[in-house]
Amino acid sequence: MFLIAGLGNPDKGYAGTRHNIGFDVIDKLAEQEKIRVIERKHRAVIGKGMIEGVKVILAKPQTYMNLSGESIRELADYYKIDTRSELLVISDDISLPPGQLRIRKKGSAGGHNGLKNIIAMLGHDEFQRIRLGVGEKPEGYDLADYVLGHFDAKERKLADEAVEEAADAVRAVLAKGADAAMNRFNRKHC
């Protein structure tokens, strides 16, 4: 079984913000794969189904971004998920331009508080992740205000395309493994 967790904030006011792009990917996968993500368990909204012949749990932690690891730890413990090989976390990344994504098998939090909390709660950083670019914060902006803000029209188009691509990347990780998915999706956009 694979736990696929998209990061975001639960209140409706955060919908469509840069920080909630992980939730957007879970919503896209749920729609495409006909998985109902409506069950409330372990401080998350989850849905169970099959993607690429693999049993999956799609999860949107409801603990707010900075405590995402608490929900993910509970889900992993309850469902006996090997977090080194059966966890895939989807998050925003300000170091990547809008529309770009990166798949990694492990790594630091890179300043992302949600990833930082997951690493703290799991006790390791060796979990797979897909990071979607939301662009660097403009000079003079507060980081929290920036990531909790909405995309402009041009960025939204790129973000929507990246959400579609990230859903395809999840399927590639499940079907062929992270290395094959990295070879296919970790490229520079022109």
Side-chain angles (χ1 to χ4, degrees):
M1 183 176 290
F2 230 93
L3 173 57
I4 302 164
L7 304 188
N9 287 308
D11 291 342
K12 288 188 187 343
Y14 295 110
T17 62
R18 292 176 179 86
H19 230 14
N20 271 38
I21 202 163
F23 277 12
D24 295 344
V25 175
I26 295 297
D27 291 341
K28 180 57 68 178
L29 275 168
E31 173 193 328
Q32 292 172 340
E33 301 293 335
K34 312 271 188 281
I35 297 172
R36 295 183 62 203
V37 179
I38 57 171
E39 188 178 356
R40 293 190 166 274
K41 273 184 119 165
H42 308 289
R43 296 191 281 166
V45 178
I46 68 168
K48 298 174 199 155
M50 298 283 285
I51 300 177
E52 296 295 328
V54 177
K55 281 184 181 178
V56 299
I57 298 166
L58 299 181
K60 298 193 305 188
Q62 300 294 292
T63 51
Y64 289 90
M65 180 65 77
N66 294 354
L67 299 176
S68 298
E70 293 180 7
S71 172
I72 289 171
R73 172 87 264 167
E74 287 180 27
L75 287 161
D77 288 348
Y78 184 82
Y79 291 104
K80 298 179 178 23
I81 301 294
D82 179 344
T83 56
R84 285 180 166 83
S85 62
E86 299 170 324
L87 172 63
L88 180 58
V89 174
I90 305 163
S91 69
D92 61 302
D93 190 329
I94 61 167
S95 65
L96 295 172
Q100 193 169 331
L101 62 90
R102 281 274 175 272
I103 302 168
R104 293 279 184 257
K105 293 196 287 188
K106 63 180 180 178
S108 74
H112 191 288
N113 288 333
L115 292 175
K116 200 179 295 181
N117 186 253
I118 294 167
I119 291 167
M121 294 304 295
L122 298 181
H124 67 83
D125 67 359
E126 297 171 24
F127 56 90
Q128 299 167 94
R129 70 221 39 203
I130 299 175
R131 300 178 352 236
L132 285 84
V134 297
E136 275 189 71
K137 90 174 171 66
E139 195 169 323
Y141 269 70
D142 175 73
L143 180 58
D145 289 343
Y146 179 70
V147 295
L148 296 175
H150 291 81
F151 294 102
D152 67 26
K154 181 181 173 197
E155 291 171 334
R156 183 78 255 176
K157 183 178 185 308
L158 293 170
D160 289 344
E161 290 168 4
V163 165
E164 290 271 354
E165 192 172 21
D168 289 342
V170 168
R171 284 187 277 274
V173 168
L174 293 171
K176 298 190 168 126
D179 288 325
M182 287 164 64
N183 286 337
R184 179 174 162 200
F185 290 95
N186 287 1
R187 63 189 186 285
K188 293 280 183 201
H189 286 69
C190 299

